[in-house]
Amino acid sequence: MSAAKLIPAFRRVALIGGSGPMPACFIQAFKQAGDEFEVTILTRKESLKVTEKAVTGYPQFHVAPVDYSDEGELFKILSRQQVVISLLTPAGMQTQETIIRVARAAGVKWFLPSEFGLDLSVPANSEIPLFAGKIAARNALEEQATRSEGMAYTYVVTGAFADMFVNPFHDWDTENHTVVVPDAGNQGQSKISFTTRQDVAYYTLAVLRRFDQFKNKTARVASFTASYADWVAAFKSVSGVKYTPTYEPLAVLERRMVSAAAAAAKDPTTIDFKYIADQLHAAMATGRGQLDIDGKKLDSNDMPEVSPTPLAAIVADIH
């Protein structure tokens, strides 16, 4: 089925979050979509000028400064929208629950919450403390969808961000060409689904063209699937750079997480990036970072209008 024949059920889209790398990717995707969608970008007032500059000259965009604590103002903006896409960061998850409630009251037809990561329908992933806010949003969406005049929802899950994977947060040292690999006993062979942030935006627009297919469901999309071992091999074959892996047993990560959780229970300010990274790495090491498992398929395979970024292109950009 060609992309030209796919007519979106809804054209008026509200984009929650107007500044930052991920919103920039969505703005680029909507620019390329031309007049297929009419996009209102909700942005905090301090980011208004930056957001307006990003869409100058593109008539399909409108920018609405908003105070998310002012529910009346939020209702007024959302009452003119059919779809809401939330790009809020984990720090904004509590705000997202308010937006969900106001969006339903305002008559929004379809809500895509800020997911774009691991598949939280996998029970062990849903228990990761980092994702408590996302689970709360899912619960709110699924509860309201059961009522009369409920608002539809779709979870767009993407795996890890391919263009943010090779950095110190994930224990890559690009100067010394080393990587610490979370290891569940297979020396980094567990597969992980990866999507670049720009591809996340393109695939989300592809979802917008398929309301009937994804109404109250999960859309699983990925640019490619690869293991740590695949990344190391790609660096050598594409760029001639040899990375030396060090394997960290899963048991070590688990002990460190238990210790960090106990410390955080006493003092929440002790939570650091290593604890957050360990939660993600444990999922990756045990195969829970791969989206097409347990009978699930990658919906991106049936979205021909998107040309996904390959692993080789990511590697070439780094070295």
Side-chain angles (χ1 to χ4, degrees):
M1 181 166 47
S2 67
K5 295 180 181 179
L6 294 171
I7 307 300
F10 307 110
R11 292 188 62 251
R12 297 195 305 277
V13 179
L15 197 62
I16 306 294
S19 61
M22 183 65 89
C25 291
F26 273 78
I27 288 172
Q28 178 62 25
F30 278 116
K31 284 179 178 178
Q32 293 182 18
D35 62 1
E36 185 178 9
F37 299 98
E38 181 181 325
V39 184
T40 297
I41 304 173
L42 279 69
T43 187
R44 297 185 189 278
K45 295 176 182 179
E46 56 267 27
S47 302
L48 177 60
K49 290 184 178 180
V50 172
T51 306
E52 287 180 331
K53 182 178 180 181
V55 299
T56 297
Y58 291 88
Q60 68 267 41
F61 289 96
H62 310 276
V63 180
V66 65
D67 176 356
Y68 290 114
S69 66
D70 186 338
E71 295 189 16
E73 179 183 25
L74 186 59
F75 179 93
K76 183 177 179 180
I77 297 170
L78 294 184
S79 65
R80 298 188 292 269
Q81 310 304 318
Q82 296 170 307
V83 183
V84 170
I85 300 174
S86 173
L87 302 180
L88 294 174
T89 64
M93 288 298 106
Q94 187 171 359
T95 299
Q96 183 170 242
E97 290 185 61
T98 299
I99 295 170
I100 290 170
R101 176 167 47 78
V102 175
R104 182 183 182 278
V108 169
K109 303 301 183 184
W110 194 12
F111 199 104
L112 283 64
S114 184
E115 288 273 327
F116 314 118
L118 295 181
D119 187 350
L120 301 187
S121 70
V122 177
N125 288 347
S126 69
E127 296 170 2
I128 296 175
L130 173 64
F131 301 133
K134 291 185 178 184
I135 293 299
R138 282 183 171 228
N139 290 340
L141 284 167
E142 291 170 19
E143 189 278 330
Q144 64 80 36
T146 63
R147 304 181 210 164
S148 176
E149 303 295 326
M151 179 173 61
Y153 60 85
T154 297
Y155 308 132
V156 181
V157 297
T158 61
F161 292 150
D163 50 333
M164 293 182 65
F165 184 57
V166 180
N167 61 37
F169 180 82
H170 291 296
D171 294 324
W172 292 84
D173 184 337
T174 55
E175 291 186 6
N176 297 303
H177 302 158
T178 62
V179 57
V180 178
V181 179
D183 183 26
N186 62 0
Q187 294 196 316
Q189 296 291 341
S190 296
K191 297 293 185 180
I192 306 161
S193 299
F194 290 95
T195 314
T196 66
R197 287 172 292 178
Q198 189 60 67
D199 285 351
V200 168
Y202 290 141
Y203 279 128
T204 301
L205 265 65
V207 169
L208 293 184
R209 301 181 183 107
R210 296 164 168 86
F211 173 71
D212 289 340
Q213 181 178 347
F214 293 113
K215 178 183 178 182
N216 297 342
K217 295 179 181 177
T218 296
R220 297 176 177 84
V221 301
S223 301
F224 58 85
T225 300
S227 65
Y228 272 87
D230 293 331
W231 279 85
V232 170
F235 275 116
K236 186 175 181 180
S237 64
V238 174
S239 304
V241 177
K242 182 179 179 181
Y243 271 82
T244 301
T246 299
Y247 301 103
E248 184 171 53
L250 180 61
V252 174
L253 270 73
E254 291 173 338
R255 286 197 297 269
R256 193 161 58 227
M257 286 191 290
V258 168
S259 177
K266 295 180 180 179
D267 180 4
T269 63
T270 63
I271 295 178
D272 60 15
F273 283 112
K274 188 61 179 174
Y275 177 44
I276 295 172
D278 281 345
Q279 296 175 53
L280 298 176
H281 294 160
M284 292 175 178
T286 54
R288 292 183 281 121
Q290 183 175 355
L291 301 179
D292 52 336
I293 57 172
D294 299 331
K296 299 166 185 169
K297 70 180 185 73
L298 284 177
D299 297 295
S300 48
N301 291 339
D302 299 318
M303 297 176 176
E305 67 266 40
V306 180
S307 298
T309 307
L311 171 58
I314 303 295
V315 167
D317 281 344
I318 297 171
H319 289 295

